[in-house]
Amino acid sequence: MEIGYMKRALELAEYGMGKTNPNPFVGAVIVKEGRIIGEGWHERYGQAHAEVNAIRDAEANAISKAEASVEGATVYVNLEPCYHTGKTPPCTELLIRKGVSHVVIGALDPNPLVAGKGVERLREVGIKVTIGVLEQDCKKCNEVFYHYMETRQPFVVLKAAMSLDGKIAAPSGESKWITEEAARRDVQRLRNRYSAIMVGIETVIKDDPELTCRLEGGRNPQRIILDSNLRIPLESRVLKDPQKNASMIVCTERASRSKAKELEAMGAKLLRCGSRNEQIDLVDLMEKLGGLSIDSILLEGGARVNDSAFSQGIIRKMIFYIAPKIIGGEHSKTVVGGDGIKSLDQAYPLIVESMEQVGSDMKITAYQKVPLAMKRISKEEEKNIVYGND
């Protein structure tokens, strides 16, 4: 039954999607005498953790005071209970006070403030601890959190919609819509899941998108526009409604100071980065965004931006929606532009994780085999960082 209870904890953890960043997704299940008496998940950043909510659930649903007690119960949680005090007290101490007898953990917390300390504390007072139930599934659930803890940089997911022959637009430039409605709905789920959405200035000028999440109850991601020379039109829709969702415009030092002031007066955030081959240095940008607690980015760039992202090594994961149609045309744009590789041994190696049908389209999820720009932070740097999981 351990696996079944952990699967349930993972299902509960996903309910926190779009609400807990930069904290992880965590679910907890409390079992006593062979039945579930409480469930909970981390519902929102800064609020009660999964273990707290599961205990509250057990106590609220009990018919009698005796049934409300979690003393002697087993708690299943997909991520190690926190050991430190942040925005909330440590969950380890709550579990100890409530007298649970056994804690089953899917995966250890990579946060240096926890990292095994929660397990040590529980065992110190005699609570049985089991580690590693569905460990890979639990780590996959929190792949963004693990990446962010290890690198202090956003987890970048490239999303692209294309025809079967790899085209993202017709020869005329028309691109709406290559995929069908089901695939486009699935993209809204991605926008809700990741902290930010990033596009290049050409996409803004050509399509004038809103870059919002149209999922019912969803959260709008932070909008990031790559615009080296601040060419963005002031009437662009991404500059509207700054109080609720201010866009971040990323430029280089050579960008116009007067245009920058105009944009800031409209409520936009300006972020200047270094340049590389007359384009924005994306590695520098990732380091800056990580420092702003942006843990993940959905990259919906065009061919040129995608080429820069691949060549500068910032992409970790890819999600391709492939429509069963042929566009053709020598000059029709493909997912990745630029000059391309010089020989096949320079191709970017990918690991395909899954292929599934979404409506009439195919969805392929893959990972970059060797992410080039993953920078691991030093022990000295760790001392000056306040991490999530609070």
Side-chain angles (χ1 to χ4, degrees):
M1 289 298 291
E2 277 190 344
I3 290 177
Y5 292 135
M6 190 59 73
K7 282 184 176 179
R8 178 56 182 162
L10 284 168
E11 288 175 1
L12 293 167
E14 290 283 342
Y15 291 156
M17 184 188 301
K19 301 178 181 71
T20 67
N21 304 68
N23 283 354
F25 301 144
V26 185
V29 176
I30 302 175
V31 178
K32 190 173 182 179
E33 298 176 355
R35 68 184 184 89
I36 295 176
I37 63 170
E39 296 183 334
W41 63 94
H42 182 32
E43 297 176 8
R44 192 173 295 276
Y45 175 75
Q47 295 184 5
H49 288 188
E51 299 90 331
V52 176
N53 288 328
I55 289 172
R56 288 175 179 170
D57 183 55
E59 294 174 344
N61 294 330
I63 297 173
S64 66
K65 187 175 181 180
E67 285 191 2
S69 173
V70 298
E71 185 176 356
T74 298
V75 178
Y76 293 82
V77 60
N78 61 296
L79 192 70
E80 179 183 8
C82 64
Y83 174 77
H84 65 294
T85 299
K87 286 185 170 58
T88 60
C91 291
T92 49
E93 298 308 311
L94 176 65
L95 296 174
I96 292 168
R97 286 200 311 274
K98 293 293 182 177
V100 304
S101 63
H102 187 189
V103 179
V104 181
I105 297 169
L108 293 178
D109 191 330
N111 186 338
L113 296 174
V114 186
K117 298 183 182 72
V119 170
E120 290 176 14
R121 175 61 180 148
L122 293 171
R123 285 175 172 165
E124 184 181 85
V125 299
I127 295 175
K128 181 182 177 182
V129 179
T130 301
I131 305 169
V133 175
L134 293 181
E135 182 176 16
Q136 292 309 310
D137 290 338
C138 291
K139 286 184 174 180
K140 178 67 169 44
C141 172
N142 278 306
E143 62 184 4
V144 168
F145 182 66
Y146 273 83
H147 176 88
Y148 188 60
M149 287 293 106
E150 293 171 356
T151 68
R152 193 57 178 177
Q153 294 182 17
F155 184 90
V156 180
V157 181
L158 182 149
K159 166 257 155 184
M162 69 187 88
S163 62
L164 195 58
D165 56 339
K167 308 296 185 180
I168 62 173
S172 64
E174 181 189 0
S175 60
K176 292 184 178 181
W177 297 98
I178 290 177
T179 53
E180 300 299 325
E181 180 62 28
R184 299 201 294 274
R185 282 199 306 269
D186 199 57
V187 171
Q188 298 306 312
R189 185 183 60 81
L190 297 178
R191 289 186 178 186
N192 178 57
R193 185 181 191 104
Y194 299 111
S195 293
I197 180 171
M198 187 164 75
V199 300
I201 185 58
E202 296 295 343
T203 295
V204 173
I205 292 172
K206 176 178 173 292
D207 298 334
D208 193 21
E210 290 184 300
L211 302 179
T212 55
C213 176
R214 293 183 289 280
L215 195 70
E216 185 176 353
R219 167 198 54 86
N220 286 330
Q222 167 67 65
R223 298 179 292 199
I224 301 173
I225 316 300
L226 303 177
D227 187 8
S228 301
N229 297 309
L230 293 183
R231 294 188 292 132
I232 186 168
L234 297 179
E235 64 275 11
S236 299
R237 290 199 287 179
V238 292
L239 297 177
K240 305 294 172 61
D241 201 16
Q243 288 77 24
K244 291 183 180 178
N245 190 23
S247 292
M248 181 181 294
I249 316 298
V250 183
C251 62
T252 61
E253 289 299 328
R254 66 176 180 270
S256 165
R257 301 284 170 177
S258 59
K259 180 70 172 285
K261 287 181 180 178
E262 283 186 276
L263 291 167
E264 288 174 328
M266 295 177 66
K269 307 171 188 174
L270 265 290
L271 181 62
R272 291 184 184 268
C273 288
S275 60
R276 182 187 295 197
N277 298 325
E278 297 187 357
Q279 296 179 349
I280 292 168
D281 186 333
L282 296 179
V283 176
D284 180 37
L285 174 59
M286 293 303 107
E287 293 178 4
K288 285 183 167 67
L289 293 177
L292 295 173
S293 295
I294 294 177
D295 65 353
S296 52
I297 295 172
L298 182 65
L299 177 61
E300 294 195 20
R304 184 178 180 186
V305 168
N306 291 342
D307 175 54
S308 295
F310 268 108
S311 64
Q312 295 189 44
I314 68 165
I315 296 171
R316 181 70 186 95
K317 182 177 181 177
M318 287 136 282
I319 299 176
F320 301 115
Y321 296 91
I322 303 176
K325 58 185 69 168
I326 300 295
I327 291 177
E330 290 183 16
H331 301 293
S332 299
K333 288 188 176 181
T334 58
V335 174
V336 182
D339 296 329
I341 59 173
K342 292 182 172 59
S343 59
L344 286 177
D345 61 359
Q346 296 177 335
Y348 302 105
L350 308 181
I351 300 172
V352 175
E353 180 198 58
S354 64
M355 294 184 286
E356 59 184 296
Q357 195 84 17
V358 179
S360 61
D361 302 313
M362 180 65 68
K363 177 182 178 182
I364 297 179
T365 301
Y367 290 84
Q368 184 147 335
K369 198 169 185 179
V370 185
L372 303 178
M374 248 187 173
K375 174 195 165 194
R376 300 193 180 277
I377 59 176
S378 68
K379 295 292 182 183
E380 197 59 37
E381 287 176 307
E382 281 182 359
K383 296 176 184 177
N384 301 317
I385 294 172
V386 177
Y387 290 96
N389 203 20
D390 293 330

